Amino acid sequence: MSGWANYIVFMVATGGFYALLALSLNLIWGGAGMVNLGLAGFFALGAYASALLTVKLGAPILAGLAGALLVGAVGGYVVTMSTTRLRGDYLAIVTLGFAETIRLIANNEIWLTRGSDGVSGIPGPLKAELGSWFNAVYAAGMIGIVALVWFGLRRLDQSPYGRALRAVREDQQVAQVAGKRILRFKVEAFAISAAVAGLAGALYGHFNSYVAPDIFQPLITVYIFLAVAAGGVGRVSGAVLGAYLVVFFLESTRFAAAAIPGLSPVQHAAIREMLVGLALILVLRVRPQGILPERIPPAPRPASVT
Amino acid sequence: MTDRSIRLTRRTALAVGTAALAMPAVVRAQGEPIRLATLTPLTGAGGSYGPTMAKAAATVIEDVNKAGGVLGRRVQLISEDDQTNPEAGVRAARKLIDVDKVSAIMGTWASSVTTAVAPLCWESKTMLCTVSGADSITLLPHQGYLIRTQPNSTLQLTRLGAHVLSLGVKRVFQMIPQTPFTQSSISIMDATLKKGGAEQGSLIYDDKKPTYRTEVDQALRFNPDLIFAAGYTPDSVVLLKDIFRAGFKGKIIGMAYSINQKLIDQIGQAEVVEGVYTFAPSPAQGATAHERVKKIAGNDNPDPYTCQVYDHASMVLMAIAAAKDASGTAIRDNVRKISQGGGKTVDNAVDGIKAITAGEKVDYVGASGPCDFDDKGDIIDCKFRYEQIKANKRTLLKIA
Amino acid sequence: MDSLLQAALNGLVAGTILALPAIGFTAMFAVLRYPNFAVAAYATLGAYGGWMANAWLGWPAFVSLLGAFALAGVVGTAAERVVLEPLRPAGALTAAIAAIALNVILENVLRFCFGNDLLGYDLPLARDIRFAGLRIAPQQIENLTLALAVMGALFAFLAFTRVGKAMRATADNPDLARLKGIEPRRVELLAVFVGAGLCGVGGMLLGLDTSIDPLTGFRVVLSVFAAAVVGGLGSIPGAVAGALLIGLAEEFATLAIAPTYKSAVGFLAILLVLTLRPRGLLGERAY
């Protein structure tokens, strides 16, 4: 395989990582009305967990993925525990600081993370057997995993648990009066969401065979916000759609910016980043419900009234 | 400043215009253009380096096109942004390799980006020329598809250590941010200095901070004769200002990629940087490519990275000419034939291509060094330019 | 002992640099009730605004602070009206996310116009003044004085002028303020103008010590947020106290733990304060 096909296959896989991150964000932003500006940090936690388990301890990839889910969940739990009683503003700032702190640790704890050199040689599943088909098979696998997570989160969304989360989002006090244990709901939702972000990181590492602190910069979090906002906050399918749209958008601006004559490369680069910000603002302004608006399923009628 | 930028744009516009007019006459190049790429940091932490690097490659290619291209074909340069981020860098590289089908990617700067992009290059048989310093890079299984013009830390620091000793200092303090070569920088310097009877203290700092007063205090408590400021330009600006304020009277040395003309202009005060020593890889005395890069960069002290990308573009084009083939594999197999092993010494691609076409063997001596590579892709040896800032200008002390 | 005192002094100096953007951030929060994450870009804008006044118009560096204030204030107000204000009905978090997007846009507008080259002001650097075994830079004394003067002026403005009182009233209770005939919208825009302007002044002071490039504000923004949260989001004296505290903590951390972890100090301080005293050191009252 070569040329465009190769490129598109790669972007399908990349879209898969973005989609998992978007699903992660959608669960708490759309589901519980919380904001995670440190998505890059949880992405990093999972990526490093799986990379180090497989490279340093020689664990199988599946164990790496499980480790990533676990480390992500624990990270999410720790971050929310100290802030869930506060307004969302605080959580936003704490998560922002969390991501930077994770990046610093990855950069400086060389004995553990190999520092700014990064961890290379992360095994990919069946990489030797698949040869040049690795990317295509992995991309297909990503679609499968995204579908699986999508299915799981949709079930969660439509379950009584999802409705309870929405109640928390809409009005904490009312939810509390209705006997919902707000704090527990929020921490659980955040931990699940962080675990999914961790999974995305692990899968990213096994695909690219390399992770380094430089990958986990704040801009990737902005991309994911754009994905969820464009797809439709609160809509599980929207997050997936939005993620693929963002990858398409990021890549197509390459070609579009290059078409503007008379500009230096740095000006092209500036325009490309500007467009990301502009797109996010325009989506929030013009179509705040996103492409696929949230559908709130009606509560099931009780079978019998007692 | 604006005046200058306006003049620059005007000049560029004029150049583009003239080139367009002259196109049919000058470029008799036929068929599909040969595509090459730069992948430099245009945004993010490396943003102060990438733009001039991309420009250096563009100038080399423009010159070659004006002289009729290579193999009778025009050369097209595509410049992408790696955002100083391996994730973005890999996406950009995929586009360059799969869609643009470039035969070489030049100028990757951050070691993390190079490490991430390298497998894509060797798997697709695309040549990768880098300026990244991490020792681990040339150890990757790159099958020859990678060369690096930046000397590795062992070569660089043993020489720097020797130079430091020759300045007659006994106590050296190294201040360095966390980079892939921080550990080796500290340990190699330590070993070299110990052999010469000198001592080293060191401190690793956070490169995003607006002040390093407490860090400088810690350095001064070591009572150094010389401070080795081993960061990049943005943090070195802050560090040098704070060292000056602290009234440090000893010597200061830094890498020329960090203590560059931009830093000198930014500080804007001769006193602060007066006497600071700088250090950069270099060809032997009398080599001329460096003079050419001065013209491209528009100043007397071109950045070492700019010099290196000039060399990348020149070597890739000559290797294509020598192979009579523009594929990545052809570049890999021929880059050492034009860069080393004797022959007519050339310092630029236009002359080199002319000589190669005439059947001569050439030996390229670049702006960043003699550009001779070992099997791993590391440069075998090079001289270094030792310079000292005097009245806001880097003045050459010696090349050795 | 001397090294501790010196670190404390350095910390105070570092803290005053953080104080102005932290005040700007918290003042906007007090009135508008959403965290305006574009403060990094406002600070960078201020650095460029001051630079243009200094380098192009030839104003002395300290007069150029007006340019910094004006550019950041005007752009901040315009952005509030055009971009953020219409999003506020959708919730504080929506506005906050849009502010992040705005930050990306502004950073790249500056990159588009000025490139990534480092710029500097025409202001001579002086050696430190030494006293009692300690040292401080004259320019840092000026910064400190200036920051204190700006804070003083801001307090006087809030305490004694009609507009200032209206601003406080709006921050305390917008509905009550409206009943009293205060038009909240004008107050809000004024708060943004002053808040963004202060970020701009802070950005220029930052630029005096460091360098001006599109990332000038971004490099310190986490410390600024930490200062505001530690002091109590929405409290102006809290922002000042928080900034000094973060400044001190970062310098002491340099002595106690690895200096590379300076940027993590703010995060730890936030976690600690939020766990022990969730409303911040000085609570959330605006003044």
Side-chain angles (χ1 to χ4, degrees):
Chain A
M1 230 181 356
S2 68
W4 275 97
N6 219 353
Y7 177 61
I8 289 166
V9 158
F10 185 85
M11 291 310 152
V12 168
T14 305
F17 311 127
Y18 282 36
L20 288 179
L21 288 173
L23 284 168
S24 154
L25 179 64
N26 184 59
L27 172 64
I28 49 161
W29 187 20
M34 299 153 84
V35 158
N36 181 359
L37 296 181
L39 216 51
F42 296 101
F43 188 45
L45 273 186
Y48 271 99
S50 193
L52 294 175
L53 281 173
T54 50
V55 173
K56 283 206 167 173
L57 302 181
I61 293 173
L62 278 178
L65 298 184
L69 282 165
L70 185 72
V71 171
V74 171
Y77 181 79
V78 169
V79 168
T80 30
M81 268 319 277
S82 57
T83 49
T84 32
R85 275 160 296 158
L86 301 163
R87 276 194 325 266
D89 319 306
Y90 286 95
L91 180 63
I93 293 174
V94 167
T95 49
L96 208 60
F98 170 78
E100 179 63 14
T101 305
I102 293 294
R103 210 181 60 77
L104 273 179
I105 293 173
N107 218 355
N108 288 306
E109 296 309 309
I110 297 163
W111 60 275
L112 179 68
T113 63
R114 303 192 183 164
S116 45
D117 256 346
V119 183
S120 51
I122 305 170
L126 304 176
K127 199 165 190 176
E129 291 84 344
L130 290 169
S132 65
W133 285 95
F134 175 74
N135 283 7
V137 173
Y138 204 100
M142 276 312 295
I143 293 177
I145 292 173
V146 169
L148 212 65
V149 174
W150 168 82
F151 182 74
L153 290 179
R154 225 172 86 102
R155 286 290 294 270
L156 188 76
D157 194 49
Q158 290 166 348
S159 69
Y161 184 85
R163 279 196 300 279
L165 268 184
R166 278 211 175 78
V168 172
R169 178 187 72 181
E170 295 305 327
D171 196 324
Q172 293 211 14
Q173 262 134 23
V174 172
Q176 200 151 28
V177 171
K180 305 293 180 198
R181 284 152 73 190
I182 309 270
L183 187 65
R184 216 197 73 196
F185 272 112
K186 282 183 145 184
V187 173
E188 277 177 11
F190 202 95
I192 297 172
S193 151
V196 173
L199 178 67
L203 291 165
Y204 175 87
H206 291 293
F207 180 62
N208 284 295
S209 80
Y210 177 62
V211 297
D214 284 351
I215 295 169
F216 309 102
Q217 291 178 34
L219 205 55
I220 197 155
T221 307
V222 179
Y223 296 161
I224 302 306
F225 270 90
L226 175 56
V228 174
V233 185
R235 181 76 179 268
V236 181
S237 316
V240 176
L241 175 68
Y244 279 98
L245 281 178
V246 162
V247 172
F248 178 76
F249 178 77
L250 288 178
E251 291 302 309
S252 55
T253 54
R254 247 185 240 297
F255 300 92
I260 308 171
L263 295 182
S264 67
V266 63
Q267 286 174 320
H268 284 141
I271 288 182
R272 288 190 60 217
E273 287 199 357
M274 241 183 269
L275 285 174
V276 172
L278 204 61
L280 179 48
I281 286 173
L282 282 179
V283 167
L284 293 173
R285 270 295 289 280
V286 180
R287 201 173 163 83
Q289 71 276 36
I291 296 166
L292 301 176
E294 181 175 11
R295 280 188 313 207
I296 301 188
R301 285 164 195 278
S304 61
V305 181
T306 45
Chain B
M1 195 58 218
T2 36
D3 273 10
R4 211 175 94 201
S5 59
I6 287 169
R7 265 210 310 275
L8 272 179
T9 2
R10 230 181 254 153
R11 196 191 298 152
T12 323
L14 202 67
V16 170
T18 338
L21 282 176
M23 200 81 86
V26 177
V27 182
R28 291 175 300 271
Q30 298 283 318
E32 271 285 281
I34 293 169
R35 292 203 183 85
L36 306 176
T38 58
L39 183 58
T40 59
L42 303 174
T43 58
S48 63
Y49 295 115
T52 32
M53 291 164 72
K55 197 174 149 236
T59 313
V60 171
I61 283 165
E62 204 180 287
D63 287 348
V64 167
N65 278 337
K66 272 191 207 145
V70 55
L71 306 181
R73 288 162 72 184
R74 209 167 61 80
V75 185
Q76 187 189 353
L77 180 76
I78 300 130
S79 291
E80 285 287 346
D81 177 17
D82 68 25
Q83 303 182 285
T84 331
N85 179 337
E87 195 268 340
V90 164
R91 277 191 286 117
R94 275 261 76 99
K95 179 252 182 186
L96 291 172
I97 292 169
D98 294 333
V99 178
D100 297 318
K101 300 193 164 56
V102 299
S103 352
I105 293 176
M106 304 175 288
T108 55
W109 177 82
S111 297
S112 59
V113 172
T114 307
T115 312
V117 165
L120 276 63
C121 289
W122 78 65
E123 280 161 16
S124 64
K125 305 189 189 317
T126 307
M127 192 68 197
L128 178 63
C129 309
T130 175
V131 305
S132 301
D135 289 357
S136 54
I137 282 171
T138 43
L139 302 176
L140 294 167
H142 55 69
Q143 303 155 29
Y145 286 100
L146 184 149
I147 53 170
R148 124 162 100 192
T149 40
Q150 176 79 357
N152 67 20
S153 24
T154 314
L155 175 57
Q156 189 143 265
L157 284 145
T158 19
R159 294 297 180 76
L160 181 62
H163 179 61
V164 163
L165 287 170
S166 78
L167 296 174
V169 297
K170 289 283 164 225
R171 297 181 71 79
V172 175
F173 198 88
Q174 179 168 174
M175 300 183 83
I176 186 168
Q178 195 65 268
T179 66
F181 36 87
T182 298
Q183 301 305 316
S184 52
S185 178
I186 292 174
S187 60
I188 295 168
M189 195 58 146
D190 229 25
T192 317
L193 290 179
K194 270 213 184 83
K195 261 184 246 158
E199 252 187 288
Q200 185 192 226
S202 62
L203 178 148
I204 305 172
Y205 64 84
D206 182 345
D207 60 0
K208 283 197 185 122
K209 287 293 148 189
T211 151
Y212 295 118
R213 295 177 68 82
T214 303
E215 285 86 341
V216 169
D217 281 337
Q218 255 175 297
L220 296 188
R221 266 197 293 282
F222 181 78
N223 209 5
D225 316 316
L226 178 141
I227 292 180
F228 173 25
Y232 289 106
T233 306
D235 44 287
S236 295
V237 167
V238 183
L239 186 60
L240 288 186
K241 284 180 179 175
D242 277 337
I243 291 176
F244 171 78
R245 286 191 181 124
F248 178 63
K249 293 286 191 301
K251 298 181 167 72
I252 299 171
I253 194 164
M255 301 294 190
Y257 58 68
S258 158
I259 320 274
N260 53 17
Q261 195 61 44
K262 281 175 193 159
L263 175 139
I264 297 171
D265 292 345
Q266 199 283 341
I267 290 181
Q269 194 175 348
E271 256 183 295
V272 180
V273 288
E274 184 67 25
V276 172
Y277 295 94
T278 67
F279 169 82
S282 164
Q285 190 93 42
T288 42
H290 196 257
E291 296 299 313
R292 289 176 170 271
V293 180
K294 279 185 187 176
K295 283 190 201 117
I296 294 175
N299 74 51
D300 282 346
N301 302 309
D303 214 287
Y305 296 132
T306 310
C307 295
Q308 291 180 42
V309 173
Y310 172 89
D311 293 342
H312 294 170
S314 306
M315 286 186 291
V316 163
L317 289 166
M318 284 186 283
I320 290 173
K324 299 196 174 59
D325 178 5
S327 71
T329 311
I331 299 171
R332 174 190 74 168
D333 295 340
N334 288 277
V335 72
R336 286 174 182 77
K337 291 184 188 152
I338 55 95
S339 64
Q340 58 215 63
K344 181 183 175 187
T345 303
V346 289
D347 69 351
N348 70 87
V350 173
D351 294 348
I353 292 168
K354 216 175 276 170
I356 292 165
T357 317
E360 283 178 88
K361 164 95 179 76
V362 298
D363 186 346
Y364 177 69
V365 174
S368 68
C371 294
D372 302 340
F373 301 93
D374 65 13
D375 293 338
K376 285 190 317 187
D378 261 328
I379 52 173
I380 292 170
D381 195 12
C382 72
K383 307 280 183 197
F384 287 90
R385 301 172 69 82
Y386 300 92
E387 292 175 309
Q388 190 175 25
I389 300 174
K390 285 176 186 155
N392 272 344
K393 287 269 171 257
R394 279 191 346 220
T395 51
L396 187 63
L397 295 179
K398 63 173 179 186
I399 292 178
Chain C
M1 191 57 213
D2 265 4
S3 66
L4 282 184
L5 277 178
Q6 183 63 54
L9 189 61
N10 295 348
L12 288 179
V13 169
T16 46
I17 299 182
L18 298 177
L20 290 176
I23 294 174
F25 177 65
T26 220
M28 287 191 278
F29 183 87
V31 174
L32 301 157
R33 308 311 291 180
Y34 76 90
N36 191 330
F37 289 123
V39 288
Y42 295 160
T44 314
L45 268 171
Y48 278 93
W51 179 81
M52 286 187 268
N54 183 234
W56 294 356
L57 306 178
W59 295 5
F62 280 90
V63 183
S64 301
L65 286 167
L66 289 175
F69 186 90
L71 184 68
V74 167
V75 173
T77 316
E80 176 67 26
R81 277 209 58 174
V82 178
V83 178
L84 301 171
E85 192 181 63
L87 288 172
R88 272 165 40 211
L93 290 178
T94 308
I97 291 160
I100 295 179
L102 181 67
N103 195 64
V104 174
I105 296 176
L106 292 176
E107 177 195 313
N108 282 289
V109 168
L110 289 170
R111 178 171 288 128
F112 186 89
C113 299
F114 296 95
N116 289 326
D117 285 353
L118 307 177
L119 305 172
Y121 301 96
D122 176 23
L123 179 73
L125 216 59
R127 301 252 192 202
D128 285 355
I129 301 166
R130 286 169 186 281
F131 61 96
L134 300 179
R135 61 187 185 88
I136 188 166
Q139 188 210 320
Q140 284 165 328
I141 299 176
E142 284 168 42
N143 282 4
L144 190 71
T145 323
L146 197 94
L148 291 175
V150 170
M151 288 173 217
L154 188 67
F155 281 116
F157 169 75
L158 289 175
F160 302 121
T161 64
R162 260 194 44 175
V163 196
K165 284 179 191 163
M167 209 178 263
R168 275 163 45 198
T170 315
D172 277 354
N173 189 334
D175 296 327
L176 200 65
R178 192 169 303 143
L179 280 180
K180 280 185 167 173
I182 296 167
E183 210 216 303
R185 186 150 180 269
R186 277 183 49 197
V187 171
E188 284 168 7
L189 288 179
L190 188 68
V192 173
F193 180 70
V194 174
L198 288 177
C199 292
V201 173
M204 176 166 170
L205 291 181
L206 192 65
L208 286 174
D209 265 354
T210 61
S211 54
I212 315 158
D213 69 72
L215 298 176
T216 298
F218 172 76
R219 292 197 187 92
V220 296
V221 77
L222 284 177
S223 306
V224 171
F225 294 151
V229 171
V230 164
L233 214 46
S235 156
I236 290 172
V240 178
L244 296 179
L245 201 76
I246 295 290
L248 285 172
E250 286 188 351
E251 295 310 310
F252 284 130
T254 305
L255 296 179
I257 54 169
T260 36
Y261 277 114
K262 248 184 176 178
S263 293
V265 170
F267 173 69
L268 291 179
I270 294 180
L271 278 190
L272 203 66
V273 168
L274 288 185
T275 313
L276 301 177
R277 215 183 138 81
R279 301 258 151 205
L281 291 180
L282 299 188
E284 290 185 352
R285 276 177 70 89
Y287 47 92

